[in-house]
mmCIF file of all heavy atoms in Angstrom:
data_model
loop_
_atom_site.group_PDB
_atom_site.id
_atom_site.type_symbol
_atom_site.label_atom_id
_atom_site.label_comp_id
_atom_site.label_asym_id
_atom_site.label_seq_id
_atom_site.Cartn_x
_atom_site.Cartn_y
_atom_site.Cartn_z
ATOM 1 N N ARG A 1246 -19.751 38.031 -7.863
ATOM 2 C CA ARG A 1246 -20.673 37.028 -7.331
ATOM 3 C C ARG A 1246 -21.840 36.798 -8.297
ATOM 4 O O ARG A 1246 -22.294 35.662 -8.493
ATOM 5 C CB ARG A 1246 -21.190 37.476 -5.977
ATOM 6 C CG ARG A 1246 -22.017 36.421 -5.246
ATOM 7 C CD ARG A 1246 -22.586 36.980 -3.971
ATOM 8 N NE ARG A 1246 -21.535 37.470 -3.094
ATOM 9 C CZ ARG A 1246 -21.780 38.166 -1.989
ATOM 10 N NH1 ARG A 1246 -23.011 38.450 -1.646
ATOM 11 N NH2 ARG A 1246 -20.776 38.559 -1.232
ATOM 12 N N ARG A 1247 -22.337 37.899 -8.888
ATOM 13 C CA ARG A 1247 -23.439 37.754 -9.844
ATOM 14 C C ARG A 1247 -23.013 36.922 -11.055
ATOM 15 O O ARG A 1247 -23.752 36.035 -11.510
ATOM 16 C CB ARG A 1247 -23.912 39.136 -10.303
ATOM 17 C CG ARG A 1247 -25.170 39.121 -11.163
ATOM 18 C CD ARG A 1247 -25.533 40.521 -11.588
ATOM 19 N NE ARG A 1247 -24.590 41.031 -12.556
ATOM 20 C CZ ARG A 1247 -24.691 40.815 -13.878
ATOM 21 N NH1 ARG A 1247 -25.677 40.077 -14.359
ATOM 22 N NH2 ARG A 1247 -23.788 41.310 -14.701
ATOM 23 N N LEU A 1248 -21.818 37.189 -11.583
ATOM 24 C CA LEU A 1248 -21.324 36.398 -12.714
ATOM 25 C C LEU A 1248 -21.144 34.936 -12.314
ATOM 26 O O LEU A 1248 -21.445 34.024 -13.100
ATOM 27 C CB LEU A 1248 -20.004 36.988 -13.210
ATOM 28 C CG LEU A 1248 -20.073 38.368 -13.864
ATOM 29 C CD1 LEU A 1248 -18.674 38.866 -14.194
ATOM 30 C CD2 LEU A 1248 -20.918 38.322 -15.128
ATOM 31 N N HIS A 1249 -20.640 34.720 -11.101
ATOM 32 C CA HIS A 1249 -20.444 33.349 -10.624
ATOM 33 C C HIS A 1249 -21.783 32.614 -10.523
ATOM 34 O O HIS A 1249 -21.897 31.444 -10.923
ATOM 35 C CB HIS A 1249 -19.744 33.384 -9.264
ATOM 36 C CG HIS A 1249 -19.415 32.030 -8.710
ATOM 37 N ND1 HIS A 1249 -18.475 31.196 -9.277
ATOM 38 C CD2 HIS A 1249 -19.909 31.351 -7.644
ATOM 39 C CE1 HIS A 1249 -18.403 30.072 -8.578
ATOM 40 N NE2 HIS A 1249 -19.271 30.144 -7.592
ATOM 41 N N GLN A 1250 -22.797 33.293 -10.020
ATOM 42 C CA GLN A 1250 -24.110 32.667 -9.918
ATOM 43 C C GLN A 1250 -24.703 32.388 -11.291
ATOM 44 O O GLN A 1250 -25.351 31.350 -11.510
ATOM 45 C CB GLN A 1250 -25.038 33.571 -9.104
ATOM 46 C CG GLN A 1250 -24.652 33.668 -7.632
ATOM 47 C CD GLN A 1250 -25.491 34.683 -6.889
ATOM 48 O OE1 GLN A 1250 -26.242 35.448 -7.500
ATOM 49 N NE2 GLN A 1250 -25.360 34.708 -5.565
ATOM 50 N N LEU A 1251 -24.511 33.303 -12.244
ATOM 51 C CA LEU A 1251 -25.007 33.072 -13.607
ATOM 52 C C LEU A 1251 -24.337 31.861 -14.242
ATOM 53 O O LEU A 1251 -24.982 31.062 -14.932
ATOM 54 C CB LEU A 1251 -24.776 34.323 -14.462
ATOM 55 C CG LEU A 1251 -25.649 35.541 -14.139
ATOM 56 C CD1 LEU A 1251 -25.235 36.734 -14.990
ATOM 57 C CD2 LEU A 1251 -27.123 35.226 -14.365
ATOM 58 N N LEU A 1252 -23.020 31.720 -14.010
ATOM 59 C CA LEU A 1252 -22.318 30.559 -14.560
ATOM 60 C C LEU A 1252 -22.832 29.261 -13.935
ATOM 61 O O LEU A 1252 -23.019 28.250 -14.640
ATOM 62 C CB LEU A 1252 -20.812 30.709 -14.312
ATOM 63 C CG LEU A 1252 -20.089 31.762 -15.154
ATOM 64 C CD1 LEU A 1252 -18.645 31.899 -14.705
ATOM 65 C CD2 LEU A 1252 -20.131 31.395 -16.634
ATOM 66 N N LYS A 1253 -23.071 29.283 -12.638
ATOM 67 C CA LYS A 1253 -23.594 28.085 -11.993
ATOM 68 C C LYS A 1253 -24.997 27.750 -12.493
ATOM 69 O O LYS A 1253 -25.328 26.579 -12.713
ATOM 70 C CB LYS A 1253 -23.603 28.286 -10.469
ATOM 71 C CG LYS A 1253 -22.218 28.361 -9.852
ATOM 72 C CD LYS A 1253 -22.272 28.659 -8.377
ATOM 73 C CE LYS A 1253 -22.921 27.545 -7.597
ATOM 74 N NZ LYS A 1253 -22.860 27.799 -6.133
ATOM 75 N N GLN A 1254 -25.838 28.781 -12.703
ATOM 76 C CA GLN A 1254 -27.170 28.534 -13.240
ATOM 77 C C GLN A 1254 -27.095 27.977 -14.651
ATOM 78 O O GLN A 1254 -27.858 27.071 -15.025
ATOM 79 C CB GLN A 1254 -27.983 29.825 -13.222
ATOM 80 C CG GLN A 1254 -28.313 30.330 -11.828
ATOM 81 C CD GLN A 1254 -28.983 31.691 -11.861
ATOM 82 O OE1 GLN A 1254 -29.263 32.229 -12.925
ATOM 83 N NE2 GLN A 1254 -29.241 32.247 -10.670
ATOM 84 N N THR A 1255 -26.174 28.513 -15.459
ATOM 85 C CA THR A 1255 -26.014 28.019 -16.820
ATOM 86 C C THR A 1255 -25.565 26.565 -16.834
ATOM 87 O O THR A 1255 -26.070 25.748 -17.619
ATOM 88 C CB THR A 1255 -24.992 28.896 -17.572
ATOM 89 O OG1 THR A 1255 -25.409 30.256 -17.520
ATOM 90 C CG2 THR A 1255 -24.879 28.461 -19.017
ATOM 91 N N GLN A 1256 -24.634 26.223 -15.962
ATOM 92 C CA GLN A 1256 -24.199 24.831 -15.883
ATOM 93 C C GLN A 1256 -25.331 23.910 -15.442
ATOM 94 O O GLN A 1256 -25.483 22.796 -15.951
ATOM 95 C CB GLN A 1256 -23.024 24.726 -14.908
ATOM 96 C CG GLN A 1256 -21.752 25.390 -15.406
ATOM 97 C CD GLN A 1256 -20.639 25.371 -14.374
ATOM 98 O OE1 GLN A 1256 -20.868 25.024 -13.215
ATOM 99 N NE2 GLN A 1256 -19.432 25.751 -14.780
ATOM 100 N N ALA A 1257 -26.151 24.383 -14.487
ATOM 101 C CA ALA A 1257 -27.282 23.556 -14.040
ATOM 102 C C ALA A 1257 -28.288 23.340 -15.161
ATOM 103 O O ALA A 1257 -28.811 22.221 -15.350
ATOM 104 C CB ALA A 1257 -27.953 24.227 -12.838
ATOM 105 N N GLU A 1258 -28.557 24.400 -15.928
ATOM 106 C CA GLU A 1258 -29.485 24.248 -17.052
ATOM 107 C C GLU A 1258 -28.910 23.317 -18.114
ATOM 108 O O GLU A 1258 -29.633 22.515 -18.727
ATOM 109 C CB GLU A 1258 -29.781 25.614 -17.663
ATOM 110 C CG GLU A 1258 -30.525 26.573 -16.746
ATOM 111 C CD GLU A 1258 -31.933 26.074 -16.431
ATOM 112 O OE1 GLU A 1258 -32.495 25.328 -17.263
ATOM 113 O OE2 GLU A 1258 -32.461 26.423 -15.364
ATOM 114 N N ALA A 1259 -27.609 23.409 -18.353
ATOM 115 C CA ALA A 1259 -26.983 22.530 -19.346
ATOM 116 C C ALA A 1259 -27.062 21.073 -18.914
ATOM 117 O O ALA A 1259 -27.263 20.168 -19.741
ATOM 118 C CB ALA A 1259 -25.535 22.960 -19.576
ATOM 119 N N LEU A 1260 -26.905 20.824 -17.608
ATOM 120 C CA LEU A 1260 -27.001 19.450 -17.122
ATOM 121 C C LEU A 1260 -28.411 18.895 -17.300
ATOM 122 O O LEU A 1260 -28.601 17.700 -17.554
ATOM 123 C CB LEU A 1260 -26.584 19.393 -15.644
ATOM 124 C CG LEU A 1260 -25.089 19.596 -15.359
ATOM 125 C CD1 LEU A 1260 -24.833 19.639 -13.858
ATOM 126 C CD2 LEU A 1260 -24.267 18.479 -16.011
#
Side-chain angles (χ1 to χ4, degrees):
R1246 188 185 302 171
R1247 187 181 71 86
L1248 292 175
H1249 183 68
Q1250 292 174 350
L1251 289 176
L1252 288 174
K1253 292 176 65 175
Q1254 293 174 4
T1255 304
Q1256 292 175 350
E1258 295 295 333
L1260 289 175

